């Protein structure tokens, strides 16, 4: 099995926990790259020898509402790819926070895109990271890379894979015609990682 | 070649291309849309034909037409669309035409919903359309099997000149997981030249493929011939995976997505010392009755897990002649049984 992150600056307990099983929900509205962030992380974990599944929400969604993808990363064979109680949950817009906050597993981790969500998460039995991801993305002149900023921040807090293996996995997750987006995505991932490491 | 992440629908499509499928016709329906979508891109690349037909009925009949020219042909749909195809499948069976039909099941009856389900088991395994016939039914449970068993399905269809159905569900169709294509190879060459196809009769006697047989005794002769073939398939093509078959007192029986959840349950309960295992049918028709009979010698009880109100349970009871108690747990209408629900059922049934 390959690397599990360099672990630098990351509390040991996280590494311990991540080596077992993470069930992750990425949620936002269409166009925020919700599906891609799940896919990039799943690829990175797969390249590190983990079992992974990725599952989209394919239900009838409300326009302007939420779309989400579910990723499971585990050292054991994964039964159902459906995530009911995420250990990690990323919410990119307000409807997603309202829909998923209560579902996060006790002791789990919630990442909130503070740029687009003007209310606070209310749970006090989970870790919460508020990050102005969309604003940070606009500083990079790339609004669409807010998803990658959040992925970087996620890895700073939960070292599921190393930063480098996530960046490498962009080649797998993006189609060749989008390879010109890799440098900006890499920049965004590093910026998010920095923010999360603070 | 390295592993790639793909959804199940795409894995079936790519494996079909590898199997030499060069004709695909289908009509969109969730949750199998990635399959025709992938085909629409890949078929032109390999010189094959992709058609988005005007309906499911025309798609299956296009497959009928393609198959009788000797080409490997396929269609796919989800539950309500598969119902529409049943007449065509009956015709394929009657004319002994190979074809692969994919059903990525969703909740029914009626238009139902688009959530994963296993409630088309009866339809798939008992004939589905009219007349005395069976289709071979193959049930993958992982992304790798979505690929591997698609190749097998094309091979079986040609080998026995019969329609083969791949029966998955919305989860298997939609989920992405690692899959590898490097070792996949169809066995097409080993079946010899197709000497029954309609490829122009210049210089030879015309061949006729039809299912309307009005002469006295003609149709019974066809049926007896088909039955002989079905018996051979029953004898040779039963497939299943057995987990802890040698020491299990309780055997779960599940296929597809419910077998994934059951597997997880078994590993959890094994850690507590419970002697529990699973028989996972891979071929639903022919049903793996030989293996079931064998494990029934040791097992004290069976528990069938389905995403339906109980369909495969009938085949389990028949296979073991009701020699052991056969219990059931299922969820329906697009719901998925949870590990906890299955464990509770096991506790309830084994307490008494």
């Amino acid at each position: 099995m390959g690397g599990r992150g360099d672990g630098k600056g990351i509390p040991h307990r996280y590494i311990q926990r991540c080596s077992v099983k993470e069930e992750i929900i990425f949620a936002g509205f269409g166009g925020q790259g919700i599906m891609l962030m799940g896919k990039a992380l799943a690829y990175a974990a797969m390249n590190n020898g983990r079992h992974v599944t990725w599952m989209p929400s394919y239900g009838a969604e409300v326009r302007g509402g939420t779309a989400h993808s579910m990723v499971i990363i585990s050292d054991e064979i994964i039964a159902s790819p459906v995530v009911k109680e995420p250990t990690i949950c990323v919410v990119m817009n307000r409807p997603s926070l309202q829909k998923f906050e209560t579902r996060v597993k006790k002791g789990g981790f919630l990442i909130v895109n503070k740029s687009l969500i003007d209310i606070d998460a209310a749970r006090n039995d989970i870790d919460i990271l508020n990050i102005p991801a969309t604003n940070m993305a606009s500083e990079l002149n790339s609004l669409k890379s807010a998803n990658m900023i959040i992925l970087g921040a996620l890895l700073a807090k939960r070292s599921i894979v190393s930063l480098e293996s996530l960046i490498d996995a962009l080649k797998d997750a993006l189609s060749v015609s989008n390879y010109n987006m890799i440098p900006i995505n890499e920049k965004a991932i590093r910026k998010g990682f920095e923010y999360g490491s603070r | 070649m390295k592993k790639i992440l793909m959804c199940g629908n795409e894995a079936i499509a790519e494996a079909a291309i590898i199997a030499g499928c060069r004709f695909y016709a289908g009509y969109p329906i969730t949750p199998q849309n990635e399959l025709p979508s992938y085909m629409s891109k890949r078929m032109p690349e390999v010189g094959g034909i992709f058609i988005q037909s005007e309906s499911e009925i025309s798609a299956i009949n296009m497959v009928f037409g393609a198959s009788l020219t000797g080409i490997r042909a396929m269609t796919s749909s989800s539950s309500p669309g598969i119902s529409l195809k049943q007449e065509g499948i009956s015709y394929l069976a009657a004319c002994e035409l190979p074809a692969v039909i994919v059903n990525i099941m969703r909740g029914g009856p009626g238009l139902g919903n688009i959530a994963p389900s296993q409630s088309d088991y009866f339809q798939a395994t008992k004939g589905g359309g009219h007349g005395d016939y069976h289709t071979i039914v193959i049930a993958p449970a992982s992304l790798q099997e979505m690929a591997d068993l698609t190749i097998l399905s094309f091979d079986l269809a040609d080998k026995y000149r019969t329609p083969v159905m791949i029966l998955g569900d919305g989860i298997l169709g939609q989920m992405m997981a690692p899959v590898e294509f490097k070792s996949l190879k169809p066995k097409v060459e080993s079946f010899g030249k197709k000497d029954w196809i309609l490829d122009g009769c210049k210089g030879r006697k015309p061949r006729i493929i039809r299912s309307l047989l009005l002469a006295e005794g003609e149709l019974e002769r066809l049926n007896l011939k088909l039955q002989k073939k079905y018996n051979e398939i029953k004898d040779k093509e039963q497939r299943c995976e057995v987990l802890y078959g040698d020491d299990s007192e309780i055997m779960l029986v599940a296929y597809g997505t419910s077998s994934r959840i059951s597997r997880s349950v078994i590993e959890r309960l094994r850690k507590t010392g419970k002697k529990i295992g699973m028989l996972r049918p891979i071929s639903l028709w022919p049903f793996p009755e030989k293996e079931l009979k064998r494990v029934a010698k040791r097992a004290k009880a069976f528990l069938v897990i389905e995403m339906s109100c109980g369909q495969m349970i009938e085949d389990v009871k028949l296979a073991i002649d009701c020699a052991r108690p056969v219990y059931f747990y299922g969820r329906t209408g697009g719901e998925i049984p949870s590990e906890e629900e299955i464990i509770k059922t096991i506790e309830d049934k084994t307490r008494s």
Side-chain angles (χ1 to χ4, degrees):
Chain A
M1 187 167 295
R4 289 196 179 147
D6 53 17
K8 278 174 202 152
I10 293 153
H12 188 61
R13 65 194 169 97
Y14 290 145
I15 300 170
Q16 284 294 309
R17 218 175 59 151
C18 291
S19 71
V20 184
K21 191 175 187 183
E22 293 289 0
E23 303 196 32
I24 311 164
I25 288 181
F26 298 96
F29 56 75
Q32 282 186 310
I34 300 302
M35 303 295 150
L36 178 65
M37 54 199 304
K39 223 172 137 182
L41 187 63
Y43 255 114
M46 179 186 85
N47 293 343
N48 278 289
R50 303 287 185 78
H51 292 281
V52 299
T53 59
W54 176 98
M55 181 86 185
S57 59
Y58 67 96
E61 301 288 354
V62 186
R63 191 179 289 269
T66 63
H68 66 278
S69 66
M70 299 170 271
V71 173
I72 301 179
I73 296 168
S74 176
D75 285 337
E76 285 172 30
I77 291 177
I78 298 160
S80 165
V82 177
V83 175
K84 287 184 181 139
E85 292 187 328
T87 58
I88 300 174
C89 184
V90 170
V91 289
M92 299 279 285
N93 64 350
R94 185 169 160 161
S96 300
L97 176 67
Q98 288 162 325
K99 183 170 178 181
F100 291 109
E101 183 182 357
T102 52
R103 279 169 57 176
V104 179
K105 203 170 190 166
K106 205 175 159 194
F109 180 35
L110 176 68
I111 305 184
V112 181
N113 179 12
K114 211 54 199 164
S115 307
L116 299 184
I117 302 175
D118 53 5
I119 52 170
D120 290 323
R123 294 271 300 266
N124 53 15
D125 58 346
I126 54 175
D127 294 336
I128 296 171
L129 175 70
N130 290 304
I131 174 168
T134 306
N135 294 349
M136 289 165 71
S138 81
E139 285 164 22
L140 292 175
N141 292 321
S142 172
L143 267 183
K144 279 181 124 182
S145 59
N147 58 346
M148 294 295 141
I149 287 180
I150 288 200
L151 267 190
L154 192 164
L155 286 195
K157 296 292 188 194
R158 295 284 189 275
S159 94
I160 303 167
V161 293
S162 72
L163 193 60
E164 300 310 322
S165 43
L166 177 67
I167 290 163
D168 284 347
L170 289 174
K171 281 200 286 292
D172 300 316
L174 287 166
S175 60
V176 177
S177 58
N178 286 325
Y179 273 14
N180 59 332
M181 300 301 293
I182 289 177
I184 184 68
N185 280 327
E186 178 178 345
K187 225 167 157 183
I189 290 171
R190 291 191 189 282
K191 195 175 164 96
F193 189 84
E194 246 168 61
Y195 187 94
S197 309
R198 289 196 322 208
Chain B
M1 198 171 133
K2 77 182 238 181
K3 285 187 177 176
I4 49 175
L5 278 182
M6 249 185 175
C7 75
N9 289 326
E10 292 169 336
I12 289 179
E14 180 58 32
I17 299 279
I18 293 171
C21 174
R22 290 297 177 267
F23 182 91
Y24 173 93
Y27 184 82
I29 183 171
T30 308
Q32 62 85 55
N33 285 326
E34 295 76 14
L35 206 165
S37 167
Y38 191 91
M39 283 296 196
S40 69
K41 197 170 125 222
R42 279 291 275 142
M43 270 300 181
E45 286 173 9
V46 296
I49 295 167
F50 166 86
I51 298 179
Q52 181 175 319
S53 55
E54 70 272 34
S55 75
E56 288 86 349
I57 297 170
S58 62
I60 189 75
N61 285 295
M62 286 174 188
V63 164
F64 184 102
S67 176
L68 55 74
T69 70
I71 199 169
R72 282 192 159 181
M74 170 191 228
T75 184
S76 66
S77 191
S78 179
S79 307
I82 294 291
S83 291
L84 288 170
K85 291 184 197 291
Q86 291 301 338
E87 182 194 42
I89 298 172
S90 168
Y91 280 46
L92 285 165
C95 294
E96 296 191 83
L97 291 175
V100 173
I101 300 118
V102 180
N103 182 3
I104 301 299
M105 291 180 281
R106 58 188 247 179
L111 209 45
N113 61 19
I114 58 174
S117 170
Q118 296 181 323
S119 51
D120 303 349
Y121 179 91
F122 281 151
Q123 185 194 55
T125 59
K126 309 297 175 192
H130 59 283
D132 262 340
Y133 79 95
H134 279 286
T135 50
I136 296 175
V137 182
I138 300 293
S142 69
L143 261 284
Q144 192 58 52
E145 278 194 353
M146 296 293 256
D148 298 354
L149 296 178
T150 295
I151 306 240
L152 173 74
S153 297
F154 276 100
D155 286 347
L156 290 175
D158 270 352
K159 184 173 179 187
Y160 294 102
R161 284 182 58 185
T162 190
V164 175
M165 181 171 283
I166 298 173
L167 197 66
D169 61 68
I171 283 189
L172 290 168
Q174 293 288 318
M175 74 185 272
M176 279 196 192
V179 60
E180 221 173 346
F181 290 99
K182 68 162 190 216
S183 55
L184 299 185
K185 245 199 206 126
K187 281 193 190 140
V188 58
E189 301 82 13
S190 58
F191 307 131
K193 200 171 171 312
K194 291 179 177 175
D195 56 4
W196 47 268
I197 60 175
L198 307 188
D199 56 353
C201 64
K202 199 174 176 190
R204 65 161 167 81
K205 248 177 84 181
R207 296 169 184 152
I208 295 169
I209 294 180
R210 62 184 170 135
S211 66
L212 179 66
L213 301 171
L214 295 174
E216 203 183 325
E218 209 180 357
L219 187 54
E220 189 178 42
R221 276 198 299 281
L222 170 73
N223 270 297
L224 294 176
K225 184 184 168 207
L226 290 178
Q227 289 305 314
K228 206 175 146 198
K229 172 163 82 178
Y230 296 148
N231 284 332
E232 188 190 344
I233 295 172
K234 268 192 203 168
D235 189 42
K236 290 182 183 160
E237 306 296 346
Q238 294 183 21
R239 286 176 166 81
C240 65
E241 179 195 4
V242 179
L243 210 63
Y244 302 113
D246 295 331
D247 71 338
S248 285
E249 290 168 358
I250 307 156
M251 282 303 269
L252 303 188
V253 186
Y255 69 97
T257 291
S258 18
S259 76
R260 297 175 67 92
I261 300 159
S262 301
R263 184 186 301 268
S264 194
V265 164
I266 289 160
E267 297 306 338
R268 274 171 73 175
L269 292 180
R270 278 264 154 188
K271 281 180 192 149
T272 68
K274 207 164 186 77
K275 293 201 160 128
I276 185 165
M278 172 166 69
L279 186 141
R280 173 175 74 90
I282 294 170
S283 59
L284 297 178
W285 196 91
F287 197 69
E289 46 195 32
K290 291 184 209 165
E291 247 338 87
L292 253 172
K293 274 199 185 79
R294 195 184 65 82
V295 296
K297 284 182 193 147
R298 165 92 206 185
K300 289 189 178 131
F302 289 86
L303 172 63
V304 181
I305 310 291
E306 296 180 65
M307 281 141 63
S308 77
C309 294
Q311 301 191 7
M312 183 174 68
I313 182 174
E314 294 188 3
D315 284 334
V316 175
K317 285 182 175 174
L318 278 173
I320 62 166
D321 278 335
C322 295
R324 297 281 182 274
V326 181
Y327 304 113
F328 177 75
Y329 183 76
R331 294 290 301 270
T332 180
E335 302 296 328
I336 305 158
S338 72
E339 291 174 29
E340 286 68 27
E341 290 162 6
I342 297 172
I343 289 171
K344 188 173 176 302
T345 308
I346 294 166
E347 282 167 356
D348 288 350
K349 299 299 180 193
T350 53
R351 194 177 297 129
S352 46

